[in-house]
Amino acid sequence: MNGSMLCVDPLPWFDCDMDTRACNEHDLVALRNAWPTADDVHGAHYTEQREGTATYLVAWQDEEPLGSGLIQWHGPIGMNARAAFPDSVEVNHLQVRPELRGRGVGTVLLKAAEQLAENRGYKLIAVGVALDNPDATRLYRRLGYTPTGVIDVCAYDWTDDDGQQHHEIETDQLLIKRLSP
Ligand SMILES: CC(C)(COP(=O)(O)OP(=O)(O)OC[C@H]1O[C@@H](n2cnc3c(N)ncnc32)[C@H](O)[C@@H]1OP(=O)(O)O)[C@@H](O)C(=O)NCCC(=O)NCCS
């Protein structure tokens, strides 16, 4: 799967050369240049992919990265979510570059993740969404993800573009979608 190209219904806002694929070594260099992050998020996600636990999906238009998401093949990260849906895959760290949001990139990434999960024989795909993120929740609901009532609280640290450290505590609800048989 590593490095393969996957085109999923590009939406009309973008040229038809938009594609979504698992990150490869060349992509990682382009990502770090075009979309730098203080904590080398791309490198961390790519390491998970190399270890075989995840696929780091990135949407591109030519050499420009538009957004990305991580497919966790070993199930949801949250303890309660994993206990409730151990046979699902989870998409997390879904993000689209701020200036490109609302143009269908997130939808394309999710559909690509669903297709890859189906190809591997999974029947359920999950996303965890913060209770205070109604915009993302609306997108997931529209794409067929159903609230489960399963809640996990997670803590994480991140560094913003000014080098400022943040400690976040997030309460996520798991949403689930059944994939085609
Ligand atoms: C959530 C996110 C990945 C969606 O990607 P996207 O490319 O903007 O989504 P699409 O264009 O395919 O779909 C648009 C829908 O996304 C949702 N959305 C969430 N945040 C949005 C934003 N900042 N701008 C526009 N749409 C947003 C809305 O539901 C919107 O639909 P609407 O027309 O009903 O308002 C993206 O907005 C993002 O990176 N947000 C910040 C990080 C985040 O919240 N990630 C999700 C973690 S669970």
Side-chain angles (χ1 to χ4, degrees), residues 5 15 23 33 37 65 91 141 167 173 181:
M5 185 177 289
D15 295 343
C23 186
N33 285 334
T37 60
V91 177
R141 295 297 303 271
H167 182 70
Q173 173 170 199

Side-chain angles (χ1 to χ4, degrees), residues 94-96 101-104 106-107 133 135 138-140 142:
L94 183 70
Q95 59 168 337
V96 170
R101 289 175 189 166
R103 303 189 199 179
T107 300
N133 193 348
D135 291 337
R138 197 166 60 248
L139 170 64
Y140 297 140
R142 193 164 62 224

Side-chain angles (χ1 to χ4, degrees), residues 16-174:
C16 56
D17 60 355
M18 175 181 166
D19 68 73
T20 304
R21 59 180 182 263
C23 186
N24 59 40
E25 292 283 345
H26 168 85
D27 290 345
L28 184 58
V29 175
L31 269 171
R32 282 173 168 154
N33 285 334
W35 192 7
T37 60
D39 297 325
D40 190 23
V41 169
H42 307 299
H45 293 344
Y46 187 60
T47 299
E48 288 192 56
Q49 176 175 285
R50 289 188 62 173
E51 289 167 353
T53 59
T55 294
Y56 187 33
L57 269 183
V58 185
W60 297 85
Q61 189 173 37
D62 301 322
E63 289 295 302
E64 200 59 39
L66 310 174
S68 63
L70 198 63
I71 310 175
Q72 300 285 355
W73 295 113
H74 293 178
I77 297 298
M79 240 173 42
N80 296 331
R82 190 183 289 238
F85 295 98
D87 298 329
S88 64
V89 289
E90 182 178 65
V91 177
N92 57 23
H93 298 288
L94 183 70
Q95 59 168 337
V96 170
R97 293 172 76 177
E99 65 276 21
L100 300 173
R101 289 175 189 166
R103 303 189 199 179
V105 179
T107 300
V108 168
L109 280 163
L110 273 169
K111 284 182 180 286
E114 290 169 13
Q115 191 174 313
L116 288 179
E118 268 185 46
N119 292 351
R120 290 198 186 193
Y122 284 91
K123 303 277 185 263
L124 290 174
I125 188 163
V127 290
V129 61
L131 294 183
D132 62 358
N133 193 348
D135 291 337
T137 303
R138 197 166 60 248
L139 170 64
Y140 297 140
R141 295 297 303 271
R142 193 164 62 224
L143 292 176
Y145 291 77
T146 309
T148 62
V150 176
I151 302 285
D152 275 290
V153 178
C154 68
Y156 61 94
D157 299 309
W158 64 286
T159 310
D160 66 25
D161 292 343
D162 300 324
Q164 184 86 26
Q165 305 264 2
H166 298 266
H167 182 70
E168 308 279 357
I169 296 176
E170 192 175 292
T171 304
D172 292 339
Q173 173 170 199
L174 196 78

